[in-house]
Amino acid sequence: NAGVTQTPKFRVLKTGQSMTLLCAQDMNHEYMYWYRQDPGMGLRLIHYSVGEGTTAKGEVPDGYNVSRLKKQNFLLGLESAAPSQTSVYFCASSGLTRLNEKLFFGSGTQLSVL
Amino acid sequence: GQQLNQSPQSMFIQEGEDVSMNCTSSSIFNTWLWYKQDPGEGPVLLIALYKAGELTSNGRLTAQFGITRKDSFLNISASIPSDVGIYFCANAGGTSYGKLTFGQGTILTVHP
């Protein structure tokens, strides 16, 4: 039972480098999300998708781009990494529950930007 | 945007003790959610509350939806070492698509 799988688990970047975080879910969920977690700030929504081919901005979208070319995959891109993007990134998905509030999270990607 | 304030920020307790934490907001909500994050993992939904005054249990965990609809409470009875983690309140703010706003979290440490 894989659920939500994120790759990679750890990554170190230099300022200005680019990278893509991969998220895959095998639960046939319509909705997918990218959150970042910083100490003392909880989780903040970066971008989300309500279905294949759709994306929308969350609370903290600047410096990130996303794509949802296939229903099961949601990609998060950093075009030019900055130290402020050092964080733990979580992908999540949800199906058609009451308010889609039951999010299933991956185990996270720890990103350090030097 | 809406802000959820959790208290306390951290707790250090002995195994067997009961735990109480809360979450408050200046906004009124129709749903309150409690998630737990184990070390090195993503959060997992513990309890969802849908009505003011609602009291819901999940094993040793009990959560309540405040009467004012601006707060919620989570209690853990007879804590055990595996209760260690970060507890988050969260809210969808009445929107759909699971766009949750999370509180800052309460870090729970349980000493055997």
Side-chain angles (χ1 to χ4, degrees):
Chain A
N1 297 334
V4 178
T5 303
Q6 292 183 231
T7 54
K9 292 190 181 299
F10 303 93
R11 185 73 187 267
V12 178
L13 291 178
K14 294 182 179 179
T15 297
Q17 287 185 319
S18 63
M19 77 161 294
T20 301
L21 304 184
L22 310 178
C23 178
Q25 53 96 2
D26 62 3
M27 296 171 283
N28 201 34
H29 283 166
E30 289 295 327
Y31 309 128
M32 297 188 74
Y33 319 85
W34 277 105
Y35 285 87
R36 60 177 287 173
Q37 182 177 21
D38 301 292
M41 300 187 73
L43 288 89
R44 292 180 293 168
L45 182 64
I46 305 171
H47 285 281
Y48 65 100
S49 168
V50 301
E52 181 178 318
T54 73
T55 64
K57 294 180 180 179
E59 180 186 356
V60 288
D62 293 343
Y64 305 95
N65 57 77
V66 288
S67 64
R68 183 116 180 254
L69 299 179
K70 293 183 179 181
K71 185 178 183 179
Q72 63 268 34
N73 297 333
F74 196 28
L75 280 59
L76 177 71
L78 285 73
E79 291 185 345
S80 179
S84 61
Q85 293 177 305
T86 293
S87 187
V88 182
Y89 292 86
F90 287 97
C91 176
S93 69
S94 66
L96 298 175
T97 57
R98 180 171 173 149
L99 274 177
N100 309 303
E101 71 277 2
K102 185 170 184 178
L103 269 57
F104 292 81
F105 284 85
S107 57
T109 295
Q110 189 162 342
L111 175 66
S112 294
V113 183
L114 306 178
Chain B
Q2 62 197 34
Q3 202 166 359
L4 304 180
N5 299 307
Q6 280 189 251
S7 179
Q9 290 187 344
S10 61
M11 303 181 75
F12 298 84
I13 63 170
Q14 291 293 129
E15 183 176 359
E17 289 184 2
D18 296 342
V19 172
S20 293
M21 61 188 78
N22 66 73
C23 190
T24 62
S25 175
S26 58
S27 302
I28 292 175
F29 295 117
N30 295 320
T31 311
W32 278 100
L33 310 165
W34 285 93
Y35 279 79
K36 182 197 176 192
Q37 183 179 27
D38 288 329
E41 298 295 331
V44 174
L45 180 66
L46 296 173
I47 294 176
L49 302 162
Y50 300 106
K51 194 165 56 176
E54 180 180 353
L55 192 70
T56 298
S57 294
N58 178 3
R60 292 177 296 104
L61 278 64
T62 301
Q64 185 166 21
F65 194 138
I67 292 294
T68 66
R69 294 168 60 195
K70 293 183 178 182
D71 54 10
S72 181
F73 309 89
L74 178 68
N75 297 313
I76 305 173
S77 62
S79 58
I80 59 178
S82 62
D83 290 333
V84 163
I86 306 177
Y87 291 80
F88 292 102
C89 61
N91 212 291
T95 64
S96 58
Y97 312 135
K99 289 167 53 184
L100 300 184
T101 296
F102 285 82
Q104 313 97 309
T106 293
I107 302 171
L108 180 63
T109 303
V110 180
H111 294 289

